[in-house]
Amino acid sequence: MVTVSRETELAQPLAGPSRTLRATPPLRAAAPAGDRWVGAAGLPGLPVPVPAEGANAPAPASVSRETPGAAPAGSALDAAERADRAAGIPAAGADTPLAQALARDARRRIALAGAEFAKPMRTRVLTVANQKGGVGKTTTTVNVAAALAQGGLRVLVVDLDPQGNASTALGVAHHAEVPSVYDVLVDGKSLDEVVVECAAIPGLSCAPATIDLAGAEIEMVSMVARETRLDRAVTAYLQSHELDYVLIDCPPSLGLLTVNAFVAATEVFIPIQCEYYALEGLSQLMKNIDLVRSHLNPDLHVSTILLTMYDGRTRLSSQVAEEVRSHFPQQVLRTTVPRSVRVSEAPSFGETVMTYDRGSSGALAYLESAGEIAERGARGQT
Ligand SMILES: Nc1ncnc2c1ncn2[C@@H]1O[C@H](COP(=O)(O)OP(=O)(O)O)[C@@H](O)[C@H]1O
Ligand SMILES: [Mg+2]
């Protein structure tokens, strides 16, 4: 049976503003001073009064008619203006889920436009791990990193997967001759020699992975301090670079590369796909984290869990979400990331969804997730 996802339906009306939004200036430049992220709670549920006739100001030329009242992502709006515009979005009847979803996304767009994130108390190093493949590790790493950087923070992505998918999504070259994380781990190069700035997103940089990294696990087996090589490199790098976040994208295994990531980080960030097998393998992951904590890195802990590829129409998704939340009430972010065509398309253009289609529901979810992460970081709740 062929089913059409909600996201596919939504993608059509959103296609217009997306190309317009790409041309807008970076969020940071336009954000009003002191306009800090206030968290995602309550946004979707805001009561929306039905406006008086004519109360809906005509949308600016750069905004499509599908997002009435929405401002371009980079525009500076003060809180009162945002509230005004959000109130101008007509309430949709309970029997029109598509209109409701569009109105909700339009409100989220307005609420998130120009959001700046608070700095964490100290540099946070998060390893994005889950030994299952295809659960959204790379997608989460690059999009959360991009969202944090767009919110004014300085972020480094370390691509630790030989596939180099994170490097691709960030538009960073990673063919065989490029200096990469392999040179850091195997040849002892400094991260300084391999890190490159991501052209599309100021404040975001990346240590790319080349296919050489596939051999690194075997080459490192006989090396001295083989588990701590990445940690040393990251620690040295942080001494001469002021960063707010380091996100390490792990391969789908629990081998030596992932162990290096666990030793280099203090926090583990686990994306969990809302599918039937989601929790299988999680206990193995937790056991490995415990092992690394007791032998190599006493500070390591799971701080953040994000539910990805959530499909609100299926009972399975909500059951998985409920179960994960009951096991990890503190760690699971309130935001869930929906299945989104735009999210999966973005890497083929060498982009994150945060620049490819910043107004799409997937990008909004990643922006809200980044907001929650930053909020916790600023409160020292890590
Ligand atoms: N929210 C999403 N909506 C749609 N597709 C997604 C989403 N998140 C990830 N994907 C797609 O799922 C596949 C696996 O995601 P990826 O991030 O590469 O997983 P991992 O790094 O865990 O192997 C990719 O093709 C990616 O584009
Ligand atoms: Mg990956």
Side-chain angles (χ1 to χ4, degrees), residues 169-243:
L170 294 175
V172 170
H174 60 103
H175 50 88
E177 291 79 33
V178 169
S180 70
V181 172
Y182 171 86
D183 303 296
V184 172
L185 294 176
V186 176
D187 294 337
K189 271 195 180 166
S190 71
L191 268 174
D192 250 325
E193 295 170 82
V194 309
V195 169
V196 289
E197 298 290 326
C198 300
I201 304 175
L204 181 60
S205 51
C206 172
T210 59
I211 194 66
D212 295 336
L213 200 55
E217 295 216 347
I218 296 169
E219 290 178 59
M220 286 194 309
V221 164
S222 57
M223 288 184 176
V224 181
R226 60 191 175 199
E227 296 93 354
T228 59
R229 297 180 77 85
L230 182 64
D231 180 44
R232 284 168 187 220
V234 169
T235 306
Y237 189 77
L238 289 177
Q239 273 162 9
S240 52
H241 295 79
E242 250 184 55
L243 290 178

Side-chain angles (χ1 to χ4, degrees), residues 132-140 165 249 309 337-341 343-344 347 366:
K132 284 174 86 74
V135 298
K137 288 183 290 297
T138 301
T139 307
T140 296
N165 294 155
D249 184 30
M309 296 183 240
V337 178
R339 258 189 198 285
S340 155
V341 171
V343 167
S344 56
Y366 273 117

Side-chain angles (χ1 to χ4, degrees), residues 230-312:
L230 182 64
D231 180 44
R232 284 168 187 220
V234 169
T235 306
Y237 189 77
L238 289 177
Q239 273 162 9
S240 52
H241 295 79
E242 250 184 55
L243 290 178
D244 298 305
Y245 282 85
V246 178
L247 297 181
I248 306 171
D249 184 30
C250 284
S253 71
L254 293 171
L256 200 43
L257 287 172
T258 302
V259 170
N260 262 272
F262 283 155
V263 178
T266 41
E267 302 175 47
V268 185
F269 178 176
I270 308 177
I272 293 181
Q273 188 183 359
C274 294
E275 291 291 346
Y276 181 62
Y277 296 115
L279 295 171
E280 262 187 28
L282 207 55
S283 58
Q284 186 60 43
L285 177 61
M286 302 309 283
K287 258 187 230 159
N288 279 44
I289 293 169
D290 284 346
L291 272 175
V292 172
R293 186 174 37 236
S294 50
H295 295 287
L296 294 160
N297 182 6
D299 296 332
L300 188 70
H301 62 284
V302 177
S303 69
T304 313
I305 294 177
L306 178 62
L307 297 162
T308 65
M309 296 183 240
Y310 184 87
D311 184 345

Side-chain angles (χ1 to χ4, degrees), residues 98-171:
L98 180 58
Q100 278 183 339
L102 287 170
R104 191 173 56 239
D105 277 357
R107 280 195 292 275
R108 290 164 86 197
R109 253 177 241 128
I110 294 165
L112 294 164
E116 279 211 351
F117 299 137
K119 282 177 175 295
M121 290 178 167
R122 63 187 71 82
T123 308
R124 292 177 70 186
V125 184
L126 293 98
T127 280
V128 182
N130 187 333
Q131 78 274 28
K132 284 174 86 74
V135 298
K137 288 183 290 297
T138 301
T139 307
T140 296
T141 305
V142 298
N143 289 307
V144 166
L148 289 169
Q150 287 178 329
L153 303 179
R154 296 200 54 85
V155 186
L156 169 68
V157 169
V158 177
D159 190 350
L160 208 56
D161 186 342
Q163 311 248 3
N165 294 155
S167 312
T168 303
L170 294 175

